[in-house]
Amino acid sequence: MHRLIPIAAATLAALAIPAAAQQANGQKATDFKLTDATGKTVQLSDFKGKTVVLEWNNPGCPFVQRHYEGNMQKTQAAAKAGGVVWLTINSGAPGKQGHMTGAEAQKWVGEKKATPAHYLLDPKGVVGKGYAAKTTPHMYIIDAAGVLRYQGGIDDKPAARVEEMGAARNHVLAALNEMKAGKPVSVAQSTPYGCSVKYAG
């Protein structure tokens, strides 16, 4: 994690944002710093030695709302039980769907009984664009060595309603279980689905 996306450095963003191709499976994930909903600065490399899940979030998105009817919380709980650090990131720009202040994010997390280690605010979209996050949700898994192991959808059922999910394969939990067992991730990349990330501009 030797590369770094700085904290909302708008004037430096053009230089700081790596090309999307740099976020390739099997390669070091780009380090970044963001402020969480409580105002604490969080840096990805602080979690070196632990597996990290990144989840892009927009509470106004119907796909996110569907997953937060229980599926996302169960996935977070299972990951946490396995020692995984879960970072939820909101790259929605001010005035766009899903953008939240820190206080609003704390309230939303409490209401949804979500359990991320941190809810991170990325209103300028610096980290989101740096990771080429396209949808909400869009999921990434980084292993203990800081290497990206999975990117894509949370599962294989791109539906906006719970009743349409059926027997979905949870790609995130499957990948975490395979990594814990020392196996290669059998589905290391999938097409993310959901709402587009509401970046500025």
Side-chain angles (χ1 to χ4, degrees):
M1 297 181 184
H2 56 285
R3 292 169 288 144
L4 176 66
I5 301 173
I7 304 173
T11 57
L12 298 177
L15 297 175
I17 299 171
Q22 288 181 268
Q23 307 302 319
N25 290 342
Q27 301 295 318
K28 287 278 188 180
T30 302
D31 198 9
F32 62 81
K33 284 183 180 180
L34 285 174
T35 301
D36 76 4
T38 69
K40 180 180 179 180
T41 299
V42 175
Q43 186 164 352
L44 177 62
S45 57
D46 290 343
F47 306 109
K48 185 177 181 180
K50 296 183 178 181
T51 299
V52 176
V53 171
L54 305 182
E55 169 217 346
W56 259 263
N57 177 272
N58 166 3
C61 169
F63 291 89
V64 171
Q65 292 169 355
R66 183 259 281 184
H67 283 294
Y68 272 93
E69 290 184 29
N71 184 51
M72 192 66 79
Q73 293 91 330
K74 290 178 182 177
T75 304
Q76 291 174 346
K80 185 177 181 180
V84 174
V85 175
W86 189 289
L87 302 178
T88 300
I89 302 174
N90 188 327
S91 296
K96 299 289 185 73
Q97 181 197 57
H99 170 78
M100 292 193 294
T101 64
E104 291 168 340
Q106 289 185 71
K107 181 181 178 183
W108 183 84
V109 168
E111 289 175 347
K112 294 299 177 184
K113 296 182 171 55
T115 55
H118 298 277
Y119 190 104
L120 301 175
L121 304 176
D122 179 35
K124 295 183 183 299
V126 174
V127 175
K129 292 177 181 177
Y131 271 75
K134 297 178 176 63
T135 63
T136 52
H138 193 158
M139 313 297 295
Y140 298 79
I141 301 176
I142 300 163
D143 70 13
V147 175
L148 186 63
R149 293 299 181 192
Y150 174 78
Q151 56 182 309
I154 185 173
D155 60 28
D156 60 354
K157 296 291 183 184
R161 296 190 302 173
V162 171
E163 54 269 33
E164 296 173 344
M165 286 181 63
R169 180 187 193 273
N170 188 316
H171 292 317
V172 173
L173 288 182
L176 291 175
N177 289 335
E178 289 169 343
M179 290 167 61
K180 187 175 182 179
K183 299 178 180 177
V185 176
S186 57
V187 179
Q189 189 155 349
S190 68
T191 301
Y193 69 87
C195 306
S196 61
V197 178
K198 304 301 186 286
Y199 292 117

